[in-house]
PDB file of all heavy atoms in Angstrom:
ATOM      1  N   LEU I 284      -4.650   4.119  -8.372  1.00 98.00           N
ATOM      2  CA  LEU I 284      -3.263   4.434  -8.585  1.00 98.00           C
ATOM      3  C   LEU I 284      -2.588   5.133  -7.376  1.00 98.00           C
ATOM      4  O   LEU I 284      -1.617   4.640  -6.689  1.00 98.00           O
ATOM      5  CB  LEU I 284      -2.983   5.216  -9.838  1.00 98.00           C
ATOM      6  CG  LEU I 284      -1.538   5.655 -10.041  1.00 98.00           C
ATOM      7  CD1 LEU I 284      -0.596   4.494 -10.322  1.00 98.00           C
ATOM      8  CD2 LEU I 284      -1.562   6.650 -11.267  1.00 98.00           C
ATOM      9  N   LEU I 285      -3.234   6.229  -6.941  1.00 98.00           N
ATOM     10  CA  LEU I 285      -2.609   7.035  -5.893  1.00 98.00           C
ATOM     11  C   LEU I 285      -2.670   6.433  -4.516  1.00 98.00           C
ATOM     12  O   LEU I 285      -1.775   6.750  -3.657  1.00 98.00           O
ATOM     13  CB  LEU I 285      -3.204   8.500  -5.922  1.00 98.00           C
ATOM     14  CG  LEU I 285      -2.898   9.288  -7.121  1.00 98.00           C
ATOM     15  CD1 LEU I 285      -3.710  10.589  -7.124  1.00 98.00           C
ATOM     16  CD2 LEU I 285      -1.364   9.656  -7.083  1.00 98.00           C
ATOM     17  N   TYR I 286      -3.629   5.585  -4.242  1.00 96.00           N
ATOM     18  CA  TYR I 286      -3.796   5.062  -2.870  1.00 96.00           C
ATOM     19  C   TYR I 286      -3.382   3.550  -2.747  1.00 96.00           C
ATOM     20  O   TYR I 286      -3.199   3.104  -1.631  1.00 96.00           O
ATOM     21  CB  TYR I 286      -5.230   5.092  -2.415  1.00 96.00           C
ATOM     22  CG  TYR I 286      -6.026   6.370  -2.853  1.00 96.00           C
ATOM     23  CD1 TYR I 286      -6.914   6.234  -3.747  1.00 96.00           C
ATOM     24  CD2 TYR I 286      -5.670   7.555  -2.263  1.00 96.00           C
ATOM     25  CE1 TYR I 286      -7.587   7.387  -4.258  1.00 96.00           C
ATOM     26  CE2 TYR I 286      -6.336   8.690  -2.686  1.00 96.00           C
ATOM     27  CZ  TYR I 286      -7.305   8.641  -3.641  1.00 96.00           C
ATOM     28  OH  TYR I 286      -7.983   9.759  -4.092  1.00 96.00           O
ATOM     29  N   GLU I 287      -3.410   2.857  -3.859  1.00 98.00           N
ATOM     30  CA  GLU I 287      -3.170   1.465  -3.770  1.00 98.00           C
ATOM     31  C   GLU I 287      -1.921   1.017  -4.511  1.00 98.00           C
ATOM     32  O   GLU I 287      -0.934   0.523  -3.973  1.00 98.00           O
ATOM     33  CB  GLU I 287      -4.397   0.661  -4.100  1.00 98.00           C
ATOM     34  CG  GLU I 287      -5.625   0.743  -3.181  1.00 98.00           C
ATOM     35  CD  GLU I 287      -6.890   0.218  -3.711  1.00 98.00           C
ATOM     36  OE1 GLU I 287      -7.161   0.361  -4.932  1.00 98.00           O
ATOM     37  OE2 GLU I 287      -7.618  -0.519  -2.960  1.00 98.00           O
ATOM     38  N   THR I 288      -1.980   1.251  -5.901  1.00 98.00           N
ATOM     39  CA  THR I 288      -0.910   0.580  -6.681  1.00 98.00           C
ATOM     40  C   THR I 288       0.414   1.316  -6.552  1.00 98.00           C
ATOM     41  O   THR I 288       1.446   0.760  -6.545  1.00 98.00           O
ATOM     42  CB  THR I 288      -1.378   0.391  -8.176  1.00 98.00           C
ATOM     43  OG1 THR I 288      -1.716   1.697  -8.652  1.00 98.00           O
ATOM     44  CG2 THR I 288      -2.597  -0.451  -8.212  1.00 98.00           C
ATOM     45  N   ALA I 289       0.378   2.681  -6.637  1.00 98.00           N
ATOM     46  CA  ALA I 289       1.690   3.386  -6.631  1.00 98.00           C
ATOM     47  C   ALA I 289       2.483   3.275  -5.294  1.00 98.00           C
ATOM     48  O   ALA I 289       3.616   3.009  -5.265  1.00 98.00           O
ATOM     49  CB  ALA I 289       1.502   4.841  -6.902  1.00 98.00           C
ATOM     50  N   PRO I 290       1.748   3.318  -4.089  1.00 98.00           N
ATOM     51  CA  PRO I 290       2.468   3.046  -2.847  1.00 98.00           C
ATOM     52  C   PRO I 290       3.101   1.674  -2.796  1.00 98.00           C
ATOM     53  O   PRO I 290       4.273   1.497  -2.380  1.00 98.00           O
ATOM     54  CB  PRO I 290       1.373   3.241  -1.793  1.00 98.00           C
ATOM     55  CG  PRO I 290       0.331   4.035  -2.419  1.00 98.00           C
ATOM     56  CD  PRO I 290       0.302   3.744  -3.840  1.00 98.00           C
ATOM     57  N   LEU I 291       2.407   0.651  -3.264  1.00 98.00           N
ATOM     58  CA  LEU I 291       3.016  -0.774  -3.198  1.00 98.00           C
ATOM     59  C   LEU I 291       4.069  -0.933  -4.238  1.00 98.00           C
ATOM     60  O   LEU I 291       5.030  -1.574  -3.995  1.00 98.00           O
ATOM     61  CB  LEU I 291       1.847  -1.773  -3.386  1.00 98.00           C
ATOM     62  CG  LEU I 291       0.752  -1.729  -2.317  1.00 98.00           C
ATOM     63  CD1 LEU I 291      -0.255  -2.897  -2.520  1.00 98.00           C
ATOM     64  CD2 LEU I 291       1.380  -1.875  -0.945  1.00 98.00           C
ATOM     65  N   ALA I 292       3.981  -0.207  -5.394  1.00 98.00           N
ATOM     66  CA  ALA I 292       5.033  -0.265  -6.400  1.00 98.00           C
ATOM     67  C   ALA I 292       6.343   0.352  -5.791  1.00 98.00           C
ATOM     68  O   ALA I 292       7.413  -0.114  -5.994  1.00 98.00           O
ATOM     69  CB  ALA I 292       4.606   0.580  -7.638  1.00 98.00           C
ATOM     70  N   PHE I 293       6.128   1.470  -5.057  1.00 98.00           N
ATOM     71  CA  PHE I 293       7.340   2.146  -4.386  1.00 98.00           C
ATOM     72  C   PHE I 293       7.957   1.170  -3.465  1.00 98.00           C
ATOM     73  O   PHE I 293       9.227   0.962  -3.470  1.00 98.00           O
ATOM     74  CB  PHE I 293       6.800   3.395  -3.587  1.00 98.00           C
ATOM     75  CG  PHE I 293       7.880   4.144  -2.955  1.00 98.00           C
ATOM     76  CD1 PHE I 293       8.489   5.220  -3.560  1.00 98.00           C
ATOM     77  CD2 PHE I 293       8.269   3.952  -1.596  1.00 98.00           C
ATOM     78  CE1 PHE I 293       9.320   6.063  -2.962  1.00 98.00           C
ATOM     79  CE2 PHE I 293       9.150   4.749  -0.950  1.00 98.00           C
ATOM     80  CZ  PHE I 293       9.708   5.792  -1.680  1.00 98.00           C
ATOM     81  N   LEU I 294       7.149   0.354  -2.695  1.00 98.00           N
ATOM     82  CA  LEU I 294       7.738  -0.556  -1.721  1.00 98.00           C
ATOM     83  C   LEU I 294       8.459  -1.669  -2.451  1.00 98.00           C
ATOM     84  O   LEU I 294       9.641  -2.118  -2.172  1.00 98.00           O
ATOM     85  CB  LEU I 294       6.648  -1.157  -0.850  1.00 98.00           C
ATOM     86  CG  LEU I 294       6.060  -0.324   0.225  1.00 98.00           C
ATOM     87  CD1 LEU I 294       4.839  -1.036   0.884  1.00 98.00           C
ATOM     88  CD2 LEU I 294       7.113   0.006   1.280  1.00 98.00           C
ATOM     89  N   ILE I 295       7.732  -2.342  -3.452  1.00 98.00           N
ATOM     90  CA  ILE I 295       8.315  -3.490  -4.067  1.00 98.00           C
ATOM     91  C   ILE I 295       9.617  -3.209  -4.798  1.00 98.00           C
ATOM     92  O   ILE I 295      10.557  -4.026  -4.814  1.00 98.00           O
ATOM     93  CB  ILE I 295       7.253  -4.208  -5.057  1.00 98.00           C
ATOM     94  CG1 ILE I 295       7.592  -5.737  -5.191  1.00 98.00           C
ATOM     95  CG2 ILE I 295       7.327  -3.587  -6.428  1.00 98.00           C
ATOM     96  CD1 ILE I 295       7.287  -6.582  -4.013  1.00 98.00           C
ATOM     97  N   GLU I 296       9.785  -1.993  -5.378  1.00 98.00           N
ATOM     98  CA  GLU I 296      11.044  -1.624  -6.010  1.00 98.00           C
ATOM     99  C   GLU I 296      12.150  -1.454  -4.980  1.00 98.00           C
ATOM    100  O   GLU I 296      13.293  -1.816  -5.209  1.00 98.00           O
ATOM    101  CB  GLU I 296      10.817  -0.383  -6.901  1.00 98.00           C
ATOM    102  CG  GLU I 296      10.008  -0.627  -8.167  1.00 98.00           C
ATOM    103  CD  GLU I 296      10.279   0.362  -9.305  1.00 98.00           C
ATOM    104  OE1 GLU I 296      11.227   1.239  -9.131  1.00 98.00           O
ATOM    105  OE2 GLU I 296       9.624   0.331 -10.325  1.00 98.00           O
ATOM    106  N   GLN I 297      11.780  -0.947  -3.845  1.00 98.00           N
ATOM    107  CA  GLN I 297      12.767  -0.752  -2.743  1.00 98.00           C
ATOM    108  C   GLN I 297      13.237  -2.158  -2.229  1.00 98.00           C
ATOM    109  O   GLN I 297      14.230  -2.236  -1.612  1.00 98.00           O
ATOM    110  CB  GLN I 297      12.087   0.075  -1.631  1.00 98.00           C
ATOM    111  CG  GLN I 297      12.011   1.507  -1.851  1.00 98.00           C
ATOM    112  CD  GLN I 297      13.447   2.189  -1.788  1.00 98.00           C
ATOM    113  OE1 GLN I 297      14.256   1.835  -0.990  1.00 98.00           O
ATOM    114  NE2 GLN I 297      13.711   3.052  -2.795  1.00 98.00           N
ATOM    115  N   ALA I 298      12.339  -3.133  -2.430  1.00 98.00           N
ATOM    116  CA  ALA I 298      12.648  -4.487  -1.944  1.00 98.00           C
ATOM    117  C   ALA I 298      13.247  -5.355  -3.094  1.00 98.00           C
ATOM    118  O   ALA I 298      13.350  -6.621  -2.946  1.00 98.00           O
ATOM    119  CB  ALA I 298      11.458  -5.125  -1.400  1.00 98.00           C
ATOM    120  N   GLY I 299      13.630  -4.674  -4.154  1.00 98.00           N
ATOM    121  CA  GLY I 299      14.278  -5.454  -5.289  1.00 98.00           C
ATOM    122  C   GLY I 299      13.356  -6.185  -6.195  1.00 98.00           C
ATOM    123  O   GLY I 299      13.720  -7.005  -6.999  1.00 98.00           O
ATOM    124  N   GLY I 300      11.980  -5.838  -6.137  1.00 98.00           N
ATOM    125  CA  GLY I 300      11.067  -6.434  -7.032  1.00 98.00           C
ATOM    126  C   GLY I 300      10.577  -5.499  -8.080  1.00 98.00           C
ATOM    127  O   GLY I 300      11.323  -4.507  -8.435  1.00 98.00           O
ATOM    128  N   ARG I 301       9.440  -5.751  -8.699  1.00 98.00           N
ATOM    129  CA  ARG I 301       9.029  -4.964  -9.854  1.00 98.00           C
ATOM    130  C   ARG I 301       7.461  -4.750  -9.812  1.00 98.00           C
ATOM    131  O   ARG I 301       6.714  -5.551  -9.219  1.00 98.00           O
ATOM    132  CB  ARG I 301       9.361  -5.792 -11.079  1.00 98.00           C
ATOM    133  CG  ARG I 301       9.555  -5.201 -12.339  1.00 98.00           C
ATOM    134  CD  ARG I 301      10.005  -6.244 -13.342  1.00 98.00           C
ATOM    135  NE  ARG I 301       9.524  -5.975 -14.703  1.00 98.00           N
ATOM    136  CZ  ARG I 301      10.382  -5.935 -15.690  1.00 98.00           C
ATOM    137  NH1 ARG I 301      11.637  -6.177 -15.470  1.00 98.00           N
ATOM    138  NH2 ARG I 301       9.914  -5.785 -16.937  1.00 98.00           N
ATOM    139  N   ALA I 302       7.080  -3.733 -10.433  1.00 98.00           N
ATOM    140  CA  ALA I 302       5.577  -3.399 -10.497  1.00 98.00           C
ATOM    141  C   ALA I 302       5.268  -2.760 -11.909  1.00 98.00           C
ATOM    142  O   ALA I 302       5.993  -1.859 -12.255  1.00 98.00           O
ATOM    143  CB  ALA I 302       5.095  -2.469  -9.409  1.00 98.00           C
ATOM    144  N   SER I 303       4.293  -3.314 -12.608  1.00 98.00           N
ATOM    145  CA  SER I 303       3.929  -2.730 -13.926  1.00 98.00           C
ATOM    146  C   SER I 303       2.458  -2.793 -14.088  1.00 98.00           C
ATOM    147  O   SER I 303       1.708  -3.478 -13.355  1.00 98.00           O
ATOM    148  CB  SER I 303       4.657  -3.445 -14.979  1.00 98.00           C
ATOM    149  OG  SER I 303       3.875  -4.549 -15.508  1.00 98.00           O
ATOM    150  N   THR I 304       1.998  -2.147 -15.226  1.00 97.00           N
ATOM    151  CA  THR I 304       0.654  -2.144 -15.573  1.00 97.00           C
ATOM    152  C   THR I 304       0.439  -3.337 -16.589  1.00 97.00           C
ATOM    153  O   THR I 304      -0.724  -3.667 -17.011  1.00 97.00           O
ATOM    154  CB  THR I 304       0.279  -0.940 -16.394  1.00 97.00           C
ATOM    155  OG1 THR I 304       1.076  -0.842 -17.552  1.00 97.00           O
ATOM    156  CG2 THR I 304       0.447   0.352 -15.550  1.00 97.00           C
ATOM    157  N   GLY I 305       1.508  -4.063 -16.881  1.00 97.00           N
ATOM    158  CA  GLY I 305       1.501  -5.144 -17.839  1.00 97.00           C
ATOM    159  C   GLY I 305       2.320  -4.724 -19.025  1.00 97.00           C
ATOM    160  O   GLY I 305       3.001  -5.529 -19.684  1.00 97.00           O
ATOM    161  N   THR I 306       2.349  -3.315 -19.290  1.00 96.00           N
ATOM    162  CA  THR I 306       3.083  -2.855 -20.412  1.00 96.00           C
ATOM    163  C   THR I 306       3.981  -1.650 -20.024  1.00 96.00           C
ATOM    164  O   THR I 306       4.982  -1.323 -20.771  1.00 96.00           O
ATOM    165  CB  THR I 306       2.178  -2.295 -21.497  1.00 96.00           C
ATOM    166  OG1 THR I 306       1.213  -1.372 -20.860  1.00 96.00           O
ATOM    167  CG2 THR I 306       1.293  -3.393 -22.147  1.00 96.00           C
ATOM    168  N   GLU I 307       3.798  -1.142 -18.786  1.00 97.00           N
ATOM    169  CA  GLU I 307       4.504   0.081 -18.439  1.00 97.00           C
ATOM    170  C   GLU I 307       4.979   0.004 -16.953  1.00 97.00           C
ATOM    171  O   GLU I 307       4.239  -0.508 -16.131  1.00 97.00           O
ATOM    172  CB  GLU I 307       3.699   1.367 -18.608  1.00 97.00           C
ATOM    173  CG  GLU I 307       4.295   2.712 -18.243  1.00 97.00           C
ATOM    174  CD  GLU I 307       3.269   3.900 -18.404  1.00 97.00           C
ATOM    175  OE1 GLU I 307       2.002   3.563 -18.544  1.00 97.00           O
ATOM    176  OE2 GLU I 307       3.687   4.978 -18.226  1.00 97.00           O
ATOM    177  N   ARG I 308       6.152   0.546 -16.616  1.00 98.00           N
ATOM    178  CA  ARG I 308       6.573   0.574 -15.165  1.00 98.00           C
ATOM    179  C   ARG I 308       5.514   1.325 -14.413  1.00 98.00           C
ATOM    180  O   ARG I 308       5.226   2.516 -14.744  1.00 98.00           O
ATOM    181  CB  ARG I 308       7.940   1.226 -15.035  1.00 98.00           C
ATOM    182  CG  ARG I 308       8.569   1.315 -13.661  1.00 98.00           C
ATOM    183  CD  ARG I 308       9.795   2.157 -13.616  1.00 98.00           C
ATOM    184  NE  ARG I 308      10.304   2.329 -12.237  1.00 98.00           N
ATOM    185  CZ  ARG I 308      11.065   3.263 -11.910  1.00 98.00           C
ATOM    186  NH1 ARG I 308      11.470   4.218 -12.790  1.00 98.00           N
ATOM    187  NH2 ARG I 308      11.536   3.391 -10.651  1.00 98.00           N
ATOM    188  N   LEU I 309       4.965   0.799 -13.341  1.00 98.00           N
ATOM    189  CA  LEU I 309       3.846   1.432 -12.716  1.00 98.00           C
ATOM    190  C   LEU I 309       4.250   2.794 -12.080  1.00 98.00           C
ATOM    191  O   LEU I 309       3.515   3.748 -12.179  1.00 98.00           O
ATOM    192  CB  LEU I 309       3.325   0.596 -11.553  1.00 98.00           C
ATOM    193  CG  LEU I 309       1.860   1.011 -11.216  1.00 98.00           C
ATOM    194  CD1 LEU I 309       0.885  -0.080 -11.401  1.00 98.00           C
ATOM    195  CD2 LEU I 309       1.822   1.613  -9.842  1.00 98.00           C
ATOM    196  N   LEU I 310       5.529   2.975 -11.630  1.00 98.00           N
ATOM    197  CA  LEU I 310       5.951   4.254 -11.011  1.00 98.00           C
ATOM    198  C   LEU I 310       6.051   5.297 -12.043  1.00 98.00           C
ATOM    199  O   LEU I 310       6.244   6.518 -11.736  1.00 98.00           O
ATOM    200  CB  LEU I 310       7.253   4.051 -10.299  1.00 98.00           C
ATOM    201  CG  LEU I 310       7.114   3.337  -8.889  1.00 98.00           C
ATOM    202  CD1 LEU I 310       8.458   3.259  -8.215  1.00 98.00           C
ATOM    203  CD2 LEU I 310       6.105   3.978  -7.958  1.00 98.00           C
ATOM    204  N   ASP I 311       5.994   4.988 -13.342  1.00 98.00           N
ATOM    205  CA  ASP I 311       5.974   6.038 -14.433  1.00 98.00           C
ATOM    206  C   ASP I 311       4.663   6.572 -14.794  1.00 98.00           C
ATOM    207  O   ASP I 311       4.547   7.576 -15.523  1.00 98.00           O
ATOM    208  CB  ASP I 311       6.713   5.493 -15.642  1.00 98.00           C
ATOM    209  CG  ASP I 311       8.191   5.239 -15.429  1.00 98.00           C
ATOM    210  OD1 ASP I 311       8.739   5.767 -14.471  1.00 98.00           O
ATOM    211  OD2 ASP I 311       8.767   4.400 -16.211  1.00 98.00           O
ATOM    212  N   VAL I 312       3.613   5.929 -14.293  1.00 98.00           N
ATOM    213  CA  VAL I 312       2.241   6.314 -14.675  1.00 98.00           C
ATOM    214  C   VAL I 312       1.873   7.607 -14.106  1.00 98.00           C
ATOM    215  O   VAL I 312       2.016   7.848 -12.857  1.00 98.00           O
ATOM    216  CB  VAL I 312       1.165   5.258 -14.281  1.00 98.00           C
ATOM    217  CG1 VAL I 312      -0.197   5.677 -14.691  1.00 98.00           C
ATOM    218  CG2 VAL I 312       1.520   3.867 -14.937  1.00 98.00           C
TER     219      VAL I 312
END
Side-chain angles (χ1 to χ4, degrees):
L284 177 63
L285 287 173
Y286 322 107
E287 292 171 316
T288 57
L291 298 184
F293 184 89
L294 284 176
I295 206 73
E296 289 204 7
Q297 283 289 318
R301 202 175 149 128
S303 94
T304 61
T306 53
E307 180 186 7
R308 179 188 178 203
L309 201 120
L310 286 181
D311 292 342
V312 177

